[in-house]
Amino acid sequence: MTLIQKLRSILTRAEQLKFAWLLLAILLMGFFEVVGIASILPFMQLLSEPDAIEKSSLLSSIYDYFQFDSHRTMLIATGFGVIALITISNLFSVLTVWFQFKYSWSVAHNLETRLLRSYLRKPYSFFLNVNTSELQTYLVGEVNALTGGLLIPVLELISRSIVSLVIFGLLLWLDVKVALTMATVLGGAYLLIYFSQQHFLKRLGKLRIAKNMQRYKALAELLTGIKTVKVSQTQKYFYNRYADASREFCEVQPKVSILMAIPRYFLEIFAFGGILAVTLYLYTIGGNLQSALPRLSLYAVAGYRLLPALQRAFTSASRIKHYNPVLEKLQPDLAACLVHEAAPSVATAPLTFQKEFAFENLQFHYEEMPNLVIDNLNLKINKGQIVAFVGSTGAGKTTLIDLMVGLLHPTSGHLKIDGKILNPENVNTWRQQIAYVPQDIFLFDDSIARNIVIDQPEKEIDYKRLEEVTKLADIYDFINEELPDGFNAQIGERGVKLSGGQRQRLGLARALYRNPSVLILDEATSALDNITEKSIIQSLESLPEELTIILIAHRLSTVRHADNIYLLQNGRIVEHGSYKVLKESSETFRTMVNLA
């Protein structure tokens, strides 16, 4: 797939159309530049040769058409005309550059959001195998590099190459030998330098991505664990991890910049030396400089415009080669997102939970781990039951919950809800009926109310329901009596202003606010003291009878009132029954109770 094909695959039709219009504007900008250069010739002819009108049929036709009354009048008018053309050219250039920047940042925003949507559509297993800092690097940093380092340089390369060719065409019209010499020296030198650098630029591009990713990773790990870092006094170690990555990243940038800038300084020598050589050449064939002055002026202005055009074309080509690894990395996800959005929407399959959900011959293992985490599991959970899963660490409890909520999909076997197999087509309707409270509660930097209702519009928030669920979660008194702003109180990043127990109670309140059919508590009371835990368990017992509760627990007092307790070992159910039955019949369970 060529570069243009890759770019087309990640841009919408509207963005491609804007790209084409912007390219046209840049070409018009180049046309105005060439017209401005060409206008120098007649002006300098009029200035240097008193009989220029009589010698040139073009100047004579212009003189007659505009009915000038003297050589002096035409010279002044031509001078103002040249100034007007140059002014128009530069104003148009400013406008074009503005649209170029606007287009670049608009596409950057669209690509960032599309890439995020692409990541959010990926299965949960994708996030188990990738470092989130890598995703943040691509979303926040590399998408901008994609637009600034590839999309805009492609525009520049095309437009500046065409402008350069047009200027060369103008020079060919004046003198074939001079034009071919300039094309060979300047164009050949740029091509030679580019082809000698391209592999090095690509290698530096890959190195830049790797070091940028290390920066994000080191910084995220430092700030996430800042409490532990400060207590353990390991600031220097984590600081050095970031500093080393930052230094190596910043060492790449000047290498790339100097590679792109070097040709200009060397080729300016050829350019100005060439002007002197042309001067001597015209003097030699013409016999005097006065007659050669108009053409010399044109060559000087053409060189003044041509050298930056060639330099920008070269820089754009170099940037494309340097940033091409970003496109190679992001193109599959960005293209897949466009294909997904273009595909006709499929109605979500209905799925209701009225009777039971069941595991049938369920097996699961992670891709990189051949050993089964869940091994031939068969069980049924009736609606309204309180069911608990207990077992040692690594028994498969959390994996079982991930399968239950549809984050993971069975390697073999099925999970059925009222006889219907849970699959990617109906998993969203199943999740609408589930509330999940993990051990590590997800909180974000916003108010208490917003962390409970999350995406519900402000005008639809049921504050009476908020009060009910926070009372059930035993956090209402804290909100009402200790927080001056009540439900509008800000909790800080990841709920840093709350204690561990308060965070878990807030997570429980969030789950209850959804009024679910199935409530899943994955070690949800592990950070609570015994009195608070007992209060919450009593609150759960007062919930509607049709609510199905799934408990994962190490602390066995949490599951004392469960209708059925399943003891897991190595992904298998080895024993099950009520708390009383298991305590009497199972030595393993009895040992767990005694240890607790």
Side-chain angles (χ1 to χ4, degrees), residues 195-242:
F195 284 114
S196 66
Q197 292 179 352
Q198 59 175 335
H199 296 298
F200 188 47
L201 285 168
K202 188 172 183 178
R203 185 162 62 85
L204 287 176
K206 292 180 178 178
L207 182 62
R208 185 195 64 81
I209 294 175
K211 296 306 174 184
N212 197 27
M213 201 176 298
Q214 287 180 15
R215 288 196 312 160
Y216 275 86
K217 181 180 177 183
L219 188 60
E221 290 171 346
L222 170 60
L223 297 180
T224 301
I226 190 64
K227 185 175 183 179
T228 302
V229 168
K230 292 188 75 67
V231 172
S232 62
Q233 295 185 324
T234 52
Q235 295 98 318
K236 185 176 181 180
Y237 169 76
F238 286 97
Y239 166 81
N240 287 337
R241 290 182 73 198
Y242 175 79

Side-chain angles (χ1 to χ4, degrees), residues 8-65:
R8 286 185 62 188
S9 72
I10 67 173
L11 299 176
T12 63
R13 289 186 178 181
E15 289 165 345
Q16 293 179 36
L17 184 61
K18 289 179 181 178
F19 182 92
W21 278 110
L22 186 56
L23 178 60
L24 178 62
I26 294 176
L27 291 176
L28 285 174
M29 181 175 68
F31 170 76
F32 282 126
E33 288 183 5
V34 174
V35 171
I37 293 170
S39 68
I40 295 293
L41 182 60
F43 176 75
M44 294 305 298
Q45 283 180 320
L46 289 169
L47 186 65
S48 61
E49 301 178 28
D51 56 347
I53 298 174
E54 290 76 17
K55 287 183 178 181
S56 171
S57 58
L58 175 63
L59 292 177
S60 177
S61 299
I62 295 173
Y63 184 87
D64 293 336
Y65 181 82

Side-chain angles (χ1 to χ4, degrees), residues 448 477-487 489-491 498:
I448 293 278
D477 290 342
F478 167 74
I479 296 171
N480 191 48
E481 297 173 6
E482 298 188 35
L483 299 178
D485 296 326
F487 284 107
Q490 300 295 307
I491 65 172
L498 304 177

Side-chain angles (χ1 to χ4, degrees), residues 373-528:
V373 182
I374 301 296
D375 186 4
N376 198 34
L377 196 70
N378 288 276
L379 66 91
K380 290 183 180 180
I381 299 175
N382 296 321
K383 186 177 178 65
Q385 276 191 315
I386 300 177
V387 174
F389 293 93
V390 298
S392 59
T393 301
K397 302 186 299 297
T398 298
T399 301
L400 185 61
I401 292 299
D402 290 343
L403 288 164
M404 199 178 294
V405 299
L407 290 176
L408 299 176
H409 301 290
T411 305
S412 64
H414 303 291
L415 193 157
K416 292 184 175 181
I417 293 89
D418 287 350
K420 293 183 179 179
I421 296 174
L422 183 67
N423 55 49
E425 285 70 39
N426 58 27
V427 69
N428 286 335
T429 55
W430 171 237
R431 288 175 182 162
Q432 290 169 6
Q433 304 172 68
I434 296 173
Y436 175 52
V437 186
Q439 182 177 3
D440 185 16
I441 302 297
F442 163 65
L443 298 173
F444 52 97
D445 192 0
D446 210 314
S447 66
I448 293 278
R450 183 52 61 192
N451 269 275
I452 295 175
V453 304
I454 302 185
D455 59 346
Q456 194 170 23
E458 188 68 33
K459 61 182 180 182
E460 296 179 13
I461 296 177
D462 184 348
Y463 280 92
K464 184 178 180 181
R465 177 70 178 160
L466 272 180
E467 184 176 330
E468 291 174 358
V469 297
T470 50
K471 284 181 178 178
L472 283 172
D474 197 25
I475 196 175
Y476 176 77
D477 290 342
F478 167 74
I479 296 171
N480 191 48
E481 297 173 6
E482 298 188 35
L483 299 178
D485 296 326
F487 284 107
N488 294 319
Q490 300 295 307
I491 65 172
E493 184 182 9
R494 299 189 304 277
V496 69
K497 297 180 181 179
L498 304 177
S499 69
Q502 289 164 347
R503 286 196 289 269
Q504 286 199 300
R505 286 193 286 269
L506 196 60
L508 180 59
R510 174 195 292 164
L512 296 174
Y513 185 84
R514 297 185 61 180
N515 196 23
S517 298
V518 181
L519 176 62
I520 300 175
L521 304 176
D522 187 359
E523 300 284 359
T525 60
S526 62
L528 303 178

Side-chain angles (χ1 to χ4, degrees), residues 248-464:
E248 292 177 18
F249 172 80
C250 293
E251 285 175 353
V252 171
Q253 303 303 96
K255 292 177 184 177
V256 176
S257 299
I258 195 63
L259 286 175
M260 295 179 185
I262 279 175
R264 171 190 167 192
Y265 297 103
F266 284 100
L267 292 176
E268 278 184 356
I269 300 172
F270 290 106
F272 291 109
I275 291 174
L276 293 177
V278 170
T279 302
L280 294 175
Y281 168 74
L282 292 176
Y283 176 72
T284 302
I285 64 173
N288 65 81
L289 285 177
Q290 184 177 7
S291 60
L293 185 59
R295 295 172 71 186
L296 274 176
S297 301
L298 179 61
Y299 284 128
V301 175
Y304 170 74
R305 289 291 193 180
L306 180 60
L307 199 61
L310 285 173
Q311 177 62 29
R312 289 174 72 173
F314 169 81
T315 301
S316 296
S318 299
R319 289 176 69 84
I320 290 169
K321 181 59 67 173
H322 178 62
Y323 287 99
N324 193 52
V326 181
L327 180 60
E328 292 176 354
K329 185 68 179 177
L330 300 184
Q331 187 269 339
D333 287 325
L334 289 169
C337 185
L338 281 185
V339 171
H340 184 277
E341 291 174 355
S345 58
V346 179
T348 303
L351 189 66
T352 58
F353 175 46
Q354 298 296 334
K355 298 178 181 178
E356 64 180 22
F357 64 87
F359 298 101
E360 293 185 357
N361 303 318
L362 195 72
Q363 291 188 329
F364 177 81
H365 70 81
Y366 293 98
E367 290 182 6
E368 68 283 2
M369 299 170 62
N371 294 332
L372 289 172
V373 182
I374 301 296
D375 186 4
N376 198 34
L377 196 70
N378 288 276
L379 66 91
K380 290 183 180 180
I381 299 175
N382 296 321
K383 186 177 178 65
Q385 276 191 315
I386 300 177
V387 174
F389 293 93
V390 298
S392 59
T393 301
K397 302 186 299 297
T398 298
T399 301
L400 185 61
I401 292 299
D402 290 343
L403 288 164
M404 199 178 294
V405 299
L407 290 176
L408 299 176
H409 301 290
T411 305
S412 64
H414 303 291
L415 193 157
K416 292 184 175 181
I417 293 89
D418 287 350
K420 293 183 179 179
I421 296 174
L422 183 67
N423 55 49
E425 285 70 39
N426 58 27
V427 69
N428 286 335
T429 55
W430 171 237
R431 288 175 182 162
Q432 290 169 6
Q433 304 172 68
I434 296 173
Y436 175 52
V437 186
Q439 182 177 3
D440 185 16
I441 302 297
F442 163 65
L443 298 173
F444 52 97
D445 192 0
D446 210 314
S447 66
I448 293 278
R450 183 52 61 192
N451 269 275
I452 295 175
V453 304
I454 302 185
D455 59 346
Q456 194 170 23
E458 188 68 33
K459 61 182 180 182
E460 296 179 13
I461 296 177
D462 184 348
Y463 280 92
K464 184 178 180 181

